[in-house]
Amino acid sequence: SRPVLDMSYSRHFLDFQGSSIPSSMKKLVVTKLSQNFREAVTLQQDSPVPLPGDGDLLVRNRFVGINASDINYSAGRYDASVKPPFDIGFEGVGEVVALGLSASADFTVGQAVAYVKAGSFAEYTVVSARQAVPLPSVKPEFLTLMVSGATAYLSLKELGDLSEGKKVLVTAAAGGTGQFAVQLAKKAKCHVIGTCSSDEKGGFLKSIGCDRTINYKTENVESVLRKDYPDGVDVVYESVGGKMFDLALNALAIKGCLIVIGFITGYQNPTGLQPIKAELLPAKLLRKSASVRGFFLNHYLSDYKMALQHLLKMYERGDLVCEVDFGDMSPEGKFTGLESVFRAVDYMYMGKNIGKIVVELPHSVNSKL
């Protein structure tokens, strides 16, 4: 119903006149490498709206996802060769407002899509049609699956070797990706233990099937694991790092596997990593025939579409809870607009969120052009 410039039959963007697509937009740009997100990132008010090429879509972003690794990206930890300025934000959901000729074979203007690509913290993002995932509607719940859900699904499938009766420990279990690790382990008929930082989060975890919650603010995680699980846990889904990594490693059962999907406690440190007792690692692994495996989603992109389709079907059948946290309970309220991305990142690092943190980008229907 909104007027949009239909690029279906033209190879190049001709002009913006008569269209609700403006010629400039807001976006977040990394202008200085720093693990301090507010220092590293600048909100640019009048960046040119990018032009879609022949096989591209121009997506008007409606919801963007916050990831703990946004700070790693702004600190330049993923690719030392990339120098500022560069775009930031890993995932978005929105509608196609323009597209190139080849892209029009599979997509149309007005279609809801999701994508994973650097540069989502912007009002508009150009996405290759090959990277875009068609959706039934523009809903923030779909965004939770793009990075967080896919990470949990693929890491547990490829590395976890889950089977009925196995004991699975999920750290930061009420977070964006932890919520999926809990549910997927339960679907595999495992016994699931989740660590969290509040009774409210514990209640959420129980509601999605967690068998034992450990509030690390009021309970001693090490003591609980030693007392309740004397034979250890078979799989650990670990995203905290530092002391939690050491605890989880010590709690592994014989032939247990610890999957590292992150180490959020170290992301804001100038050096990156908090120290762990790694010098004992070989002995600990040998004694238990145990393993530590790292998982980085980018290395599993060949299986990504299959994972996402599976998760989307589960959600549409009602078999998967996709908890979204818009920051309604944060001091300044809901995360709305690109300027609130800074608050959303702070909120995540304070450990306040239940589920995936999502920022809504409202769009005025009335265009100046």
Side-chain angles (χ1 to χ4, degrees):
S1 61
R2 280 197 283 271
V4 288
L5 187 60
D6 190 344
M7 295 291 292
S8 306
Y9 302 103
S10 67
R11 188 169 291 275
H12 299 292
F13 230 80
L14 299 176
D15 66 46
F16 292 98
Q17 289 181 337
S19 159
S20 67
I21 304 170
S23 56
S24 64
M25 66 172 188
K26 292 181 188 175
K27 72 172 179 176
L28 294 186
V29 178
V30 176
T31 50
K32 171 190 168 188
L33 296 183
S34 171
Q35 75 286 340
N36 180 326
F37 192 82
R38 288 178 181 269
E39 277 183 19
V41 179
T42 303
L43 174 62
Q44 295 189 348
Q45 298 281 353
D46 54 356
S47 296
V49 171
L51 310 182
D54 181 55
D56 296 334
L57 313 173
L58 181 64
V59 178
R60 176 158 51 193
N61 294 314
R62 292 275 304 284
F63 300 102
V64 293
I66 304 295
N67 292 284
S69 46
D70 289 328
I71 278 188
N72 284 340
Y73 200 57
S74 68
R77 288 185 183 134
Y78 288 148
D79 185 351
S81 67
V82 178
K83 300 286 182 263
F86 56 86
D87 297 347
I88 191 167
F90 290 130
E91 55 188 341
V93 165
E95 60 252 322
V96 176
V97 292
L99 69 171
L101 183 62
S102 299
S104 67
D106 299 305
F107 291 90
T108 58
V109 163
Q111 188 164 1
V113 293
Y115 64 89
V116 174
K117 182 200 170 190
S120 71
F121 291 164
E123 291 178 314
Y124 296 85
T125 303
V126 166
V127 180
S128 163
R130 290 194 310 276
Q131 290 178 295
V133 179
L135 298 175
S137 60
V138 175
K139 284 176 73 174
E141 285 77 10
F142 293 124
L143 193 58
T144 66
L145 303 175
M146 298 302 293
V147 171
S148 301
T151 294
Y153 178 86
L154 285 168
S155 63
L156 291 172
K157 179 174 179 289
E158 298 293 325
L159 310 178
D161 192 26
L162 300 184
S163 58
E164 186 170 356
K166 281 196 172 181
K167 295 186 274 296
V168 178
L169 171 64
V170 180
T171 64
T177 184
Q179 65 171 326
F180 295 110
V182 167
Q183 292 178 81
L184 293 168
K186 279 307 292 179
K187 300 244 175 288
K189 300 185 174 171
C190 297
H191 176 92
V192 183
I193 310 133
T195 70
C196 61
S197 60
S198 71
D199 291 341
E200 188 189 1
K201 290 184 180 188
F204 166 68
L205 289 173
K206 288 191 176 110
S207 78
I208 59 171
C210 200
D211 297 288
R212 174 69 160 95
T213 62
I214 308 174
N215 178 349
Y216 63 80
K217 295 278 179 77
T218 59
E219 295 180 273
N220 183 302
V221 178
E222 190 173 17
S223 302
V224 170
L225 291 173
R226 200 180 295 126
K227 176 171 162 290
D228 293 358
Y229 304 96
D231 296 330
V233 295
D234 303 294
V235 178
V236 182
Y237 184 87
E238 216 297 273
S239 63
V240 176
K243 289 178 182 151
M244 188 63 82
F245 175 90
D246 287 326
L247 284 179
L249 182 69
N250 292 338
L252 277 180
I254 288 171
K255 296 185 184 176
C257 176
L258 188 154
I259 304 169
V260 177
I261 65 116
F263 39 92
I264 191 171
T265 50
Y267 292 175
Q268 287 183 310
N269 291 356
T271 53
L273 279 166
Q274 284 202 334
I276 57 167
K277 294 172 182 165
E279 65 274 9
L280 302 174
L281 190 61
K284 286 179 178 178
L285 296 180
L286 179 66
R287 196 168 72 240
K288 294 179 176 177
S289 294
S291 62
V292 175
R293 301 287 302 271
F295 178 89
F296 188 45
L297 185 60
N298 288 15
H299 299 149
Y300 290 83
L301 293 181
S302 58
D303 298 317
Y304 178 77
K305 282 238 160 140
M306 169 277 297
L308 203 55
Q309 283 162 356
H310 184 80
L311 291 165
L312 284 166
K313 280 182 190 151
M314 285 179 73
Y315 173 67
E316 284 165 4
R317 284 199 309 264
D319 289 343
L320 202 59
V321 172
C322 297
E323 188 70 17
V324 173
D325 191 332
F326 277 119
D328 294 297
M329 307 307 288
S330 68
E332 293 171 59
K334 187 175 176 180
F335 302 133
T336 306
L338 285 170
E339 45 284 341
S340 70
V341 167
F342 298 97
R343 283 201 299 120
V345 169
D346 289 343
Y347 182 73
M348 169 175 282
Y349 278 90
M350 286 188 287
K352 300 291 189 189
N353 58 299
I354 295 180
K356 173 86 180 182
I357 300 178
V358 173
V359 174
E360 183 174 6
L361 305 185
H363 289 279
S364 61
V365 178
N366 300 322
S367 170
K368 294 174 188 170
L369 295 176

